[in-house]
Every structure is written in structure tokens, then in C-alpha cells.
Amino acid sequence: MEFNGAVEAMKEKIKERGGEKAAATAAAPAATAAGGAAPPATAGGAGAAERKSEEDGGSADKVVVGIISGKVVTATEQEEAIKKKEKMVRERMQSQFGKIMEEQKKLEEVKRELEKLSEPTRRDIEIIRERLEVVDRELQRCSKDHIAKKKAYEAACAELEKKNQEKLMLADHLRLIIHESEQRKTKKLEEIMDKLGVTDNSEIFDGFH
């Protein structure tokens, strides 16, 4: 939009320059008439002067707007150059816009292809994630149960060891009582046998020492 505004301003400036020059040319004969008698002129000379005045002042085509590289540039040439640049800018913008649209289409196509590739596995991923959540909850429950049962197992092992020790102690005590009882019986029998005069040379187990 700024470029178009500059172009329009340049066009208006060229028209103003052409109009000013035409007005100056038209005012010259009137000034001569007001100041004194004009020199006689032939019909052919007047017509030629009028045509030249129209060519030089009435048309913007011959208005010089500048000199570029030693070449005189007229308003028409300047306007044509501006139009040419405008056309080049439009073509360039259209070309760039077309490339952008083409790249956007390619990106959309790539996106669709990626979605097609991920679609078959998407449901599997969802199923596995749901199963993982279930297994995680079950794992937490099993972990709590394992801790509780481990404590119960350790308590059971301690109770088992305690009972084993108690059994050993009772067994030893039982053997001791039996041994002492057998010794008393043996001694009593020997006393009786001595009184009766009975001799027995068999060996009797005297317990563990």
C-alpha cells in the first residue's frame, strides 16, 4: 500500500509540472499584448508557435523529470518505468505466494501421511496404557500384601524357632528325668538282689555322660 501511494503521488506531481508549464506558455502572448504591440507574424508562424506551445507545455509526455546516467528522462518514461516495477513486484509477490501455498500443501500432505502411519498403533497404545494403569494398581496392592505377609512370616519364623528351642529343652529334661528314674530303679534292684544273693553280671546302660 505504501508503494502504490508513492506511485500515485509521483503521477500527480508529473501532471502538476506539465500543467504549470502549459499555463506559463499560454500566459506569454497575453503579457505581450498588455505591454505593447506584438510584432507581426504570419499565419504559418503563428500556427507553428501554437503547435510547439501545445507540444511543449500542454502535454506531460515531453516534461523532463530528471537525468539518469546522462540520459534525459521524461514523465512518460518515468511512468512506464514505475508501471514496469509495479508489474515486477506483483509478479514476484504472486510467485512467492504460490511457493508458500505449495509448501503449505506439502506440509499438510506430510501431516496426513504421518497421521495415517500412527493410526494403526494409536489404539494399541491406548490399550497398553490402560493395562499399565491397572497393573500398577495391582502392583501396589500386591506390594502392601507382600509387606504384611513378610512381617507375618518373620513372626511365624520367630515363633517356630521359639517352639523348637522349647522342644529341645523339654526333650533334654525328659531324658534327664528318665535317666534319673532308671538309675534309682537299678540301684533299688541291686540292693534287692544283694539281699537275695542273686548275682547278675550283665551290663546296664548308665546313661549319657
Side-chain angles (χ1 to χ4, degrees), residues 11-197:
K11 290 180 180 179
E12 292 296 330
K13 190 173 183 181
I14 291 170
K15 289 181 181 179
E16 288 176 2
R17 288 183 180 180
E20 291 173 359
K21 190 170 183 180
T25 305
T32 303
T42 61
E50 185 178 354
R51 286 194 300 273
K52 183 169 181 60
S53 176
E54 290 178 354
E55 289 175 357
D56 293 341
S59 176
D61 294 347
K62 300 298 182 178
V63 176
V64 176
V65 295
I67 298 175
I68 300 176
S69 300
K71 181 181 177 182
V72 176
V73 180
T74 63
T76 302
E77 292 173 340
Q78 182 71 12
E79 187 174 356
E80 289 177 353
I82 291 172
K83 289 181 179 179
K84 183 177 180 181
K85 289 181 180 179
E86 288 179 346
K87 182 180 179 182
M88 291 172 64
V89 171
R90 284 194 299 269
E91 290 177 351
R92 181 65 174 175
M93 290 178 67
Q94 290 175 356
S95 175
Q96 292 294 333
F97 182 74
K99 290 180 180 179
I100 291 172
M101 295 300 295
E102 187 66 25
E103 292 298 324
Q104 185 176 357
K105 289 180 181 179
K106 290 180 180 179
L107 288 174
E108 291 177 354
E109 182 65 23
V110 171
K111 184 179 178 180
R112 287 193 295 269
E113 291 297 328
L114 290 175
E115 288 178 352
K116 289 180 181 178
L117 290 174
S118 62
E119 185 63 30
T121 58
R122 184 176 301 171
R123 181 55 185 165
D124 292 339
I125 292 173
E126 291 177 357
I127 293 173
I128 292 173
R129 284 179 176 173
E130 291 175 358
R131 182 58 185 164
L132 278 173
E133 292 177 357
V134 174
V135 171
D136 184 64
R137 289 193 295 269
E138 293 177 348
L139 181 61
Q140 292 179 3
R141 180 181 57 80
C142 290
S143 177
K144 292 179 180 179
D145 187 53
H146 171 262
I147 293 172
K149 289 182 176 179
K150 183 179 181 181
K151 290 180 179 179
Y153 171 76
E154 291 174 353
C157 287
E159 186 66 19
L160 177 63
E161 181 65 21
K162 180 180 178 181
K163 296 301 179 183
N164 282 330
Q165 293 296 329
E166 185 178 359
K167 178 183 177 181
L168 291 174
M169 291 174 63
L170 291 172
D172 290 340
H173 187 58
L174 177 62
R175 284 195 295 270
L176 180 60
I177 291 173
I178 292 172
H179 177 63
E180 290 176 352
S181 176
E182 292 297 328
Q183 282 184 337
R184 287 195 297 271
K185 287 181 180 179
T186 301
K187 186 177 181 180
K188 189 66 174 177
L189 287 172
E190 287 177 353
E191 290 176 356
I192 294 171
M193 290 174 66
D194 288 340
K195 289 179 180 180
L196 297 175

Side-chain angles (χ1 to χ4, degrees), residues 193-194 196-202:
M193 290 174 66
D194 288 340
L196 297 175
V198 178
T199 303
D200 185 8
N201 295 325
S202 61

